[in-house]
Amino acid sequence: MPKIIRTISALRELLANNNSVALVPTMGALHAGHISLVEYARTKANTVVVSIFVNPTQFGVGEDFDKYPKTENEDIEKLRGKADIVFIPSVTEIYPEGYATTVSVSGNITQVLCGKSRPTHFNGVATVVSKLLMIAMPNVAIFGEKDYQQLLIIKRVVADLNIPVDVIGCPIVREKDGLALSSRNRYLNDSERTTAPMIYKTLCEIKDGLPIDEAKQKLTKAGFKIDYLEIRDNKTLEILEKPTNSARIFIATYLGNCRLIDNISSKI
Ligand code: AMP
């Protein structure tokens, strides 16, 4: 069984003088996508730490913080034989009384896509990830391309703040029908779950030449409420007219009450 650690001091003590640590930050409700990151972490370091922390500062007003799935026992079970340490701090351990600092990332990469629809989200992410990196001081930190914009922002923060860690992105794990695994997929009812694979299918069609406007019409007709569907440069997130070899196609859409995001490389 992995060691369950709930305080910063205990984690620091356990990792003191350890020069081969990989950290996989998560919000729990673990699925095969998370586990793929943990397995990759194992190839990169001797000690694998998974953090489980539903970070309140990255949820906006009216978002699903209160009902975000919490499945701690199942998560620990899934990490058996895969992680060495599971770090599960409380909210007050991370944000004690008097806490007053935010890591704020400016520029295009934080202002477009999810940064536009969720204006406080990425400062919350940048803050908590900076803290987790400072707490665990890992050699490598592993993130999923599922949250591609988040990955770019974390790379920016680590470079800008000179945090000595190697940030690595891993590919998106999907269901057989193409739906990207997400802790939020459990919010989908049966009929929404049947419709949801259209997201990935449509991204692939755009890559193959389907115009964005037509793709939007098709998805809207099927019941999606699109937040954004855009082609952007895979490093700067500048908007592009057409898929290119250095672009990604990004989508965020509501299906019922569930907000789903996905993206694919448009490299041929
Ligand atoms: P979350 O628990 O949703 O904050 O995700 C924790 C980490 O798992 C993030 O780096 C995500 O990008 C990554 N992740 C979530 N879903 C997937 C997926 N389907 N495939 C690969 N990585 C994922």
Side-chain angles (χ1 to χ4, degrees):
M1 272 306 247
K3 285 199 175 79
I4 311 303
I5 299 294
R6 296 183 192 274
T7 66
I8 294 166
S9 58
L11 185 68
R12 286 231 166 108
E13 205 172 304
L14 210 56
L15 295 178
N17 305 317
N18 187 332
N19 282 325
S20 183
V21 177
L23 174 69
V24 183
T26 80
M27 298 205 299
L30 300 183
H31 52 62
H34 298 115
I35 301 304
S36 75
L37 306 184
V38 179
E39 285 169 349
Y40 184 75
R42 176 62 66 203
T43 69
K44 289 280 155 188
N46 294 335
T47 303
V48 174
V49 183
V50 175
S51 62
I52 297 179
F53 180 63
V54 184
N55 174 38
T57 66
Q58 72 188 68
F59 289 79
V61 178
E63 290 185 356
D64 58 347
F65 175 67
D66 289 329
K67 64 169 189 143
Y68 197 84
K70 292 192 181 63
T71 58
E72 187 178 303
N73 292 339
E74 289 97 317
D75 290 350
I76 293 168
E77 196 51 48
K78 286 180 187 161
L79 293 171
R80 185 196 281 266
K82 298 197 184 310
D84 301 294
I85 300 171
V86 188
F87 179 51
I88 316 179
S90 65
V91 172
T92 49
E93 183 72 4
I94 297 295
Y95 301 113
E97 179 83 30
Y99 186 88
T101 302
T102 297
V103 177
S104 169
V105 188
S106 52
N108 192 56
I109 60 166
T110 57
Q111 281 157 14
V112 299
L113 302 173
C114 286
K116 196 165 167 197
S117 340
R118 305 179 73 193
T120 58
H121 174 65
F122 286 122
N123 282 355
V125 170
T127 302
V128 80
V129 171
S130 301
K131 282 176 67 70
L132 290 169
L133 294 175
M134 240 76 92
I135 289 165
M137 291 193 281
N139 304 84
V140 293
I142 319 288
F143 296 86
E145 288 181 343
K146 167 80 173 17
D147 300 274
Y148 191 89
Q149 186 176 16
Q150 166 177 288
L151 175 63
L152 287 182
I153 290 170
I154 290 164
K155 284 186 171 168
R156 184 77 262 157
V157 169
V158 161
D160 290 354
L161 298 182
N162 309 99
I163 304 177
V165 63
D166 201 4
V167 172
I168 305 178
C170 287
I172 300 175
V173 177
R174 301 178 178 283
E175 302 281 5
K176 281 207 182 68
D177 59 17
L179 178 64
L181 296 189
S182 164
S183 307
R184 289 186 169 104
N185 288 351
R186 69 191 70 199
Y187 299 154
L188 298 169
N189 66 29
D190 289 350
S191 116
E192 289 160 355
R193 178 63 189 81
T194 309
T195 311
M198 259 186 90
I199 297 170
Y200 176 64
K201 195 165 163 270
T202 306
L203 292 180
C204 294
E205 287 168 355
I206 295 169
K207 178 176 168 176
D208 292 339
L210 180 71
I212 289 275
D213 283 350
E214 283 177 37
K216 281 185 176 168
Q217 274 175 29
K218 211 176 97 175
L219 287 168
T220 307
K221 225 167 144 191
F224 291 93
K225 236 182 99 215
I226 298 167
D227 179 0
Y228 58 75
L229 175 54
E230 293 172 346
I231 305 164
R232 290 190 175 262
D233 181 87
N234 64 14
K235 291 210 165 60
T236 63
L237 296 187
E238 293 302 332
I239 192 115
L240 299 170
E241 289 287 312
K242 287 200 160 59
T244 68
N245 276 343
S246 58
R248 288 188 90 87
I249 308 163
F250 295 91
I251 186 165
T253 177
Y254 284 89
L255 188 54
N257 292 324
C258 186
R259 187 176 188 274
L260 301 170
I261 61 169
D262 199 351
N263 68 88
I264 62 167
S265 162
S266 64
K267 192 170 174 161
I268 311 162

